Amino acid sequence: ATERQVVYDFFFNDLSKSEIARKLGYSSSHVAHLLRRALRQLKDRLLTDERDVVRRQLQSLEGQIEHYARRVEEETIKDDLTGLFNRRYLLDRLDEEMSRSARYGMQMSVVLVEVLGLADYGLRLGQPESDQVLCTMAALLIAGSRRIDRLGRYDDSRFILLLPNTGEQAIVLCRRLNDLVATHRLGRAGAQDVQLRVVSGIAVYPSAGEDAETLLRASFDALAEAAVSAEGIALRPATE
């Protein structure tokens, strides 16, 4: 209480050390000691508060940096239009999935999905309508796939899927996708003069290829076959 009174008189009542000493009955040296100690405590408190402020600012800055780092990473690996992974990222992951499958003696499948007629559709109805078809396809692919599957946009009209621990069963996913497309119209109503058709080519590792280039080539071969087949689905290696 005495120290508080000394500080109050010195800073707020504008009394000198001598006046405070006479008022409180202390020596001037004792009043000076009390003031030095009070100022030291105040300095320590200010430094502590400043450190807390700086720490909170640093924590906030770290959070912002992490947020922007995630955004940069997503923009690096995601397709701007559909929000799916981009081709470069999926092809990098393909090597990883093949290595994992080889290590554990499992199959995996690469599926190429193409929207036939999309180029003509875009020329007739405009790029925004074509983009909408791709976004709808991306949503259907997400709805028809498993959480462990990796989905990406391959190019202007194709998508690529990496299906871990999956062999010929990939046909089931492609048929499910066909059912979803059948119940969700692709394209604008009234555009019957432009036919859109979804086809899928499947290549199974390791029987269709033991390296990424061979496996992708097999999936493109299967996609070409699917384009002229009634079901719109083809598999490599072909089943008996």
Side-chain angles (χ1 to χ4, degrees):
T2 300
E3 185 176 295
R4 187 181 300 119
Q5 184 64 51
V6 169
V7 171
Y8 186 85
D9 284 340
F10 185 80
F11 286 104
F12 296 99
N13 290 335
D14 202 23
L15 299 181
S16 67
K17 288 183 288 186
S18 299
E19 290 171 329
I20 296 170
R22 286 195 300 271
K23 176 182 176 182
L24 299 178
Y26 295 120
S27 65
S28 293
S29 61
H30 184 61
V31 170
H33 168 72
L34 293 176
L35 284 171
R36 283 195 298 271
R37 187 170 70 180
L39 288 172
R40 189 165 54 249
Q41 291 173 345
L42 178 60
K43 181 180 179 181
D44 290 342
R45 178 63 184 272
L46 289 174
L47 287 174
T48 300
D49 290 346
E50 185 176 346
R51 282 194 294 267
D52 289 341
V53 170
V54 171
R55 185 166 54 250
R56 287 194 295 270
Q57 290 175 338
L58 284 174
Q59 289 172 345
S60 175
L61 183 59
E62 287 174 355
Q64 293 179 39
I65 291 173
E66 290 177 2
H67 170 72
Y68 287 118
R70 286 194 297 270
R71 281 189 55 185
V72 169
E73 178 67 16
E74 287 184 358
E75 289 174 2
T76 302
I77 66 176
K78 293 292 185 72
D79 173 60
D80 292 338
L81 177 64
T82 63
L84 299 180
F85 291 119
N86 60 33
R87 176 170 63 183
R88 182 178 62 183
Y89 177 80
L90 260 295
L91 293 182
D92 288 342
R93 298 292 77 75
L94 174 57
D95 287 326
E96 290 181 5
E97 290 295 343
M98 293 174 69
S99 296
R100 184 179 298 109
S101 297
R103 185 164 60 249
Y104 294 106
M106 299 185 303
Q107 292 181 310
M108 70 149 298
S109 291
V110 175
V111 181
L112 286 174
V113 178
E114 183 172 7
V115 183
L116 298 178
L118 187 61
D120 288 340
Y121 183 87
L123 287 173
R124 295 195 184 190
L125 299 180
Q127 190 61 44
E129 291 291 336
S130 179
D131 289 347
Q132 184 57 52
V133 171
L134 291 171
C135 290
T136 300
M137 271 300 303
L140 295 179
L141 286 169
I142 293 171
S145 62
R146 307 165 300 179
R147 294 187 65 177
I148 63 170
D149 300 331
R150 302 199 188 194
L151 320 176
R153 184 179 175 190
Y154 192 84
D155 57 22
D156 290 344
S157 61
R158 299 186 186 99
F159 299 86
I160 181 170
L161 290 69
L162 307 185
L163 311 183
N165 197 23
T166 306
E168 295 179 12
Q169 303 91 336
I171 293 176
V172 175
L173 182 147
C174 294
R175 287 172 178 163
R176 182 160 62 242
L177 176 61
N178 285 352
D179 292 339
L180 287 170
V181 170
T183 56
H184 295 76
R185 165 179 280 277
L186 281 183
R188 193 173 66 185
Q192 293 88 352
D193 56 331
V194 182
Q195 296 296 319
L196 295 176
R197 184 181 180 222
V198 175
V199 297
S200 304
I202 306 163
V204 179
Y205 171 87
S207 50
E210 297 186 10
D211 60 83
E213 183 179 354
T214 303
L215 198 63
L216 273 173
R217 190 182 309 118
S219 63
F220 270 104
D221 290 343
L223 189 65
E225 180 183 333
V228 295
S229 71
E231 187 179 25
I233 300 171
L235 177 72
R236 290 287 186 280
T239 55
E240 297 297 332

